[in-house]
Amino acid sequence: MAEIERHSFDVLVVGAGGAGLRAAIAAHDAGAKVGIVCKSLLGKAHTVMAEGGIAAAMANVWKEDNWQVHFRDTMRGGKMLNHWRMAQLHAQEAPDRVRELEEWGALFDRTPDGLISQRDFGGHRYARLAHVGDRTGLELIRTLQQRAVALGIEVFMECTVTKLVKSDGRIAGAFGYWRESGRFIAFDAPSVVLATGGIGKSYKVTSNSWEYTGDGHALALEAGASLVNMEFVQFHPTGMVWPPSVKGILVTESVRGDGGVLRNSEGRRFMFDYIPEFFKAETADSEEEADRWYEDKTNNRRPPELLPRDEVARAINAEVKAGRGSPHGGVFLDIASRRTPEYIRRRLPSMYHQFKELADVDITAEPMEVGPTCHYVMGGVAVDPDTGESSVEGLYAAGEVAGGMHGANRLGGNSLSDLLVFGRRTGLNAAYAVVRRGDRPTISDEEIRAASEHALAPFSIEGGENPYTVQHDLQEVMHNLVGIIRTAEEMERALTQLAGLRERITRLSVEGHRQYNPGWHLALDLRNMLRVSECIARAALERTESRGGHTRNDYPATDDAWGKLNLHCRLDGEAVGITREPLPQMPDDLRELFN
Ligand code: FAD
């Protein structure tokens, strides 16, 4: 076998978004030799696209805010399916993680008295999102990236991991390839942290970019870990709907947080018609009260436009289905008639430019057209809440690829705080474990040969399936049959079609050679996209109720019995198996917070 490039680290971090960078910094600070691998350029992860802010109960704007309120909001937003311990650690530690970012050089927007400013977002009782205009992710990444580079952490950019390698049941490292040259590379590492982000590219309409093919989810599954809550995919209520080339691109929730309202084709502010019982007590029931809330949050209740995302997405879907949509199949999001042009340009500069440049719409003068877009996956690798370790020794996960934290639905702003809190915890624990374990497994030549052959398989088939056609067909299946509203009959059809696609991907063929070959890259990504799609469809079929991001037309009610169960996906040979497992028990002192 030809020699391949090889490196050795204590902790290998796969992914250079907020979770990966924060984990790498923590592992380095704990004394580990750390490497980061990322599929695209450093600084180009999804985290950079985050707009609205980082949720943390810092009480800078509302002194009534504290971690208990944040914990309660997060659990209620997740429809009580969140891992309570993750939600607790997240709410308790997020303020310190934001202050630490500031110490490291992040420049947040300020309150008039000079504190870090915090803005309103759906599902958060108080203004809680620390932000930098609508470019918060950019500042977060800039700060973490500068620190990681200054610490001398080695980064392998445009390098894709295609397999996790184990030895005697433990993680021994990872195998991958340089995207430009197509050459293989292996990393020996007793601790591997997955921080690979989301799965959005399995869907036709998505806010996610090309990298989000569920690689970390699939790698973990194949290594023997389980994925939890995969039926819960978040469809963000407001993506662009027009022109077709930009369909799905995110329109930040900050537009609604800053006063924007949703209207149907009749001009009606329809969200008042969709306030669920669960949120009635804390939601305004008249336009007057909703509008007063922006100035006086103590004596008024929140506008229904700021209900959790799943509620708003379903409402928009229902309006469009009822024939009250906008010309291009969405609804209207109007901030122009509610705020001055100066305010809009100052608070929402990216949105202003996005609509001007991509849709020729001036959002200071006219409403936007928006509709749901696949945005985030609540499901992910099941991990220990305190350490981030999966059920496979030495394999860790943090950020969007990890499951449990957000339950059935994530609140806006809770991802950036999740990345910081659990990125740090996971990096530290991955480093401590290397010292604790002492010995280091190594990757065998046999493993490398098998991983190389698997990666090269699409070159050995002539006249087989085209990866782009298969990707298109997969996205159609997921969009049409496992989308925002689901039924058993549709998901059974989806599973049959996914089985057909699984057959087809064994016959994928690519032309040319290994040097920068996007068709080959897609062929490798497709295996992961399909695995993840099967998990979503199987879990969604199994959960016969509606909750959070999972809406069943044939089981529209939320069922208390299901509120006590998580679904775990594991691989059994090539098949995805599902098990029902009880939710971890919340201690009484936390339970009290819901009385
Ligand atoms: P990412 O930032 O997605 O990074 C993943 C990394 O993994 C990348 O470096 C990628 O190259 C790498 N990778 C993937 N696969 C491989 C592989 N096989 N090999 C090597 N590397 C790999 N959340 C909020 O809290 N507030 C917001 O305001 C907000 N706004 C958002 C706006 C948009 C447009 C989008 C898309 C998301 C937004 N989110 C927001 C969600 C949030 O940005 C993401 O959930 C979060 O950034 C995910 O971070 P991460 O570190 O887990 O992964």
Side-chain angles (χ1 to χ4, degrees):
M1 190 182 62
E3 280 289 299
I4 73 160
E5 182 180 346
R6 250 177 126 135
H7 298 266
S8 177
F9 294 102
D10 297 327
V11 177
L12 179 75
V13 178
V14 187
L21 288 169
R22 190 63 192 84
I25 292 167
H28 175 277
D29 289 348
K33 184 183 177 208
V34 185
I36 302 178
V37 199
C38 54
K39 199 163 161 176
S40 57
L41 291 170
L42 183 62
K44 213 233 112 253
H46 249 169
T47 304
V48 85
M49 294 158 77
E51 294 158 355
I54 312 172
M58 305 174 80
N60 288 355
V61 175
W62 289 90
K63 63 179 182 331
E64 294 87 339
D65 202 9
N66 56 42
W67 77 259
Q68 286 92 340
V69 187
H70 191 183
F71 167 77
R72 184 177 177 275
D73 290 347
T74 300
M75 293 293 305
R76 280 170 60 81
K79 306 288 153 48
M80 304 303 286
L81 225 58
N82 324 50
H83 194 307
W84 66 266
R85 176 69 178 154
M86 292 178 96
Q88 180 193 26
L89 290 170
H90 166 258
Q92 287 174 333
E93 295 179 9
D96 280 349
R97 298 287 75 78
V98 174
R99 283 188 279 267
E100 174 183 77
L101 269 190
E102 189 176 44
E103 279 163 30
W104 293 351
L107 296 170
F108 288 99
D109 289 355
R110 320 301 299 182
T111 63
D113 42 2
L115 300 172
I116 292 177
S117 172
Q118 301 194 265
R119 67 157 43 117
D120 286 303
F121 244 53
H124 291 281
R125 177 137 175 211
Y126 298 112
R128 189 179 278 149
L129 269 70
H131 56 95
V132 185
D134 57 3
R135 295 174 182 147
T136 312
L138 177 63
E139 187 66 358
L140 187 150
I141 278 286
R142 184 191 67 76
T143 308
L144 293 179
Q145 189 178 309
Q146 268 181 5
R147 191 164 180 89
V149 171
L151 293 173
I153 295 172
E154 205 170 339
V155 182
F156 298 80
M157 279 192 266
E158 299 197 290
C159 187
T160 301
V161 168
T162 57
K163 188 166 172 36
L164 297 174
V165 186
K166 293 202 303 188
S167 169
D168 290 334
R170 284 170 55 183
I171 281 293
F175 172 92
Y177 67 98
W178 290 105
R179 298 177 73 81
E180 192 177 337
S181 64
R183 288 183 187 281
F184 294 129
I185 181 166
F187 303 92
D188 291 285
S191 282
V192 172
V193 176
L194 293 173
T196 49
I199 58 98
K201 274 295 168 195
S202 288
Y203 283 85
K204 189 166 84 174
V205 179
T206 177
S207 65
N208 288 196
S209 68
W210 64 268
E211 291 151 87
Y212 297 97
T213 50
D215 296 4
H217 290 77
L219 291 170
L221 204 58
E222 278 160 20
S226 78
L227 304 184
V228 63
N229 293 346
M230 288 306 286
E231 63 277 37
F232 298 110
V233 174
Q234 182 167 80
F235 293 85
H236 194 292
T238 59
M240 293 178 80
V241 295
W242 187 258
S245 58
V246 300
K247 192 165 177 160
I249 290 185
L250 194 76
V251 180
T252 176
E253 193 166 324
S254 316
V255 178
R256 285 171 284 136
D258 285 348
V261 294
L262 292 163
R263 296 187 200 280
N264 62 18
S265 58
E266 296 162 2
R268 182 174 165 73
R269 207 170 147 184
F270 61 83
M271 277 310 300
F272 288 95
D273 305 335
Y274 294 93
I275 304 170
E277 205 50 51
F278 193 65
F279 291 108
K280 263 210 166 107
E282 53 202 54
T283 309
D285 55 14
S286 70
E287 292 198 24
E288 294 70 27
E289 183 184 1
D291 287 349
R292 281 196 308 268
W293 176 86
Y294 287 99
E295 304 309 323
D296 175 5
K297 296 193 170 73
T298 312
N299 299 307
N300 297 289
R301 292 169 299 171
R302 318 167 53 76
E305 284 85 2
L306 291 178
L307 281 164
R309 290 174 176 174
D310 53 324
E311 309 291 353
V312 183
R314 270 193 298 273
I316 293 176
N317 200 58
E319 284 297 303
V320 174
K321 271 204 166 153
R324 294 187 291 270
S326 65
H328 300 107
V331 293
F332 295 105
L333 174 59
D334 169 29
I335 192 164
S337 71
R338 298 178 48 89
R339 297 287 182 261
T340 63
E342 297 69 40
Y343 179 94
I344 296 169
R345 275 195 293 265
R346 179 168 52 80
R347 297 279 293 187
L348 302 163
S350 302
M351 284 302 105
Y352 175 75
H353 290 294
Q354 181 173 311
F355 272 89
K356 199 93 193 102
E357 279 155 31
L358 301 179
D360 198 22
V361 166
D362 177 355
I363 68 167
T364 67
E366 50 194 319
M368 299 157 244
E369 277 187 73
V370 295
T373 178
C374 173
H375 182 57
Y376 184 89
V377 62
M378 274 67 75
V381 183
V383 291
D384 176 84
D386 288 81
T387 65
E389 192 168 24
S390 71
S391 57
V392 176
E393 194 180 341
L395 181 62
Y396 297 76
E400 190 168 342
V401 68
M405 163 64 210
H406 305 284
N409 173 54
R410 174 179 72 89
L411 294 187
N414 268 0
S415 170
L416 294 189
S417 39
D418 165 3
L419 312 180
L420 296 171
V421 168
F422 294 104
R424 173 180 163 278
R425 283 188 156 266
T426 304
L428 286 177
N429 283 288
Y432 297 153
V434 176
V435 179
R436 199 174 57 238
R437 287 181 190 122
D439 61 329
R440 304 171 70 95
T442 47
I443 302 178
S444 68
D445 287 347
E446 194 41 53
E447 287 282 2
I448 289 184
R449 187 173 304 112
S452 314
E453 278 172 18
H454 192 55
L456 291 174
F459 286 110
S460 57
I461 295 172
E462 267 180 47
E465 292 278 351
N466 179 324
Y468 292 95
T469 312
V470 176
Q471 181 191 30
H472 169 269
D473 295 352
L474 171 65
Q475 290 172 334
E476 287 288 332
V477 172
M478 293 306 284
H479 179 85
N480 296 333
L481 303 176
V482 199
I484 188 163
I485 310 283
R486 301 157 174 182
T487 65
E489 185 273 320
E490 285 180 348
M491 285 183 293
E492 273 155 9
R493 255 195 297 144
L495 284 166
T496 307
Q497 294 184 19
L498 292 174
L501 289 168
R502 173 143 299 287
E503 226 277 301
R504 285 170 66 189
I505 66 162
T506 61
R507 286 182 276 112
L508 287 177
S509 67
V510 292
E511 288 178 4
H513 44 72
R514 279 157 65 177
Q515 266 171 351
Y516 201 85
N517 185 334
W520 179 42
H521 302 170
L522 179 60
L524 299 181
D525 291 346
L526 264 173
R527 297 168 176 171
N528 301 329
M529 292 162 77
L530 190 55
R531 273 266 193 262
V532 167
S533 301
E534 285 173 346
C535 291
I536 296 170
R538 282 214 182 280
L541 179 61
E542 182 85 1
R543 185 173 284 275
T544 46
E545 66 156 353
S546 293
R547 180 183 296 269
H550 172 63
T551 305
R552 293 278 303 252
N553 231 358
D554 43 358
Y555 293 93
T558 301
D559 177 343
D560 286 347
W562 272 111
K564 300 183 176 67
L565 291 172
N566 274 330
L567 293 175
H568 283 252
C569 298
R570 289 188 183 80
L571 268 194
D572 180 9
E574 278 300 299
V576 173
I578 298 264
T579 51
R580 299 178 181 198
E581 297 182 19
L583 283 191
Q585 277 296 314
M586 191 188 291
D588 289 344
D589 57 327
L590 292 180
R591 194 164 287 285
E592 284 286 293
L593 297 172
F594 298 90
N595 290 336

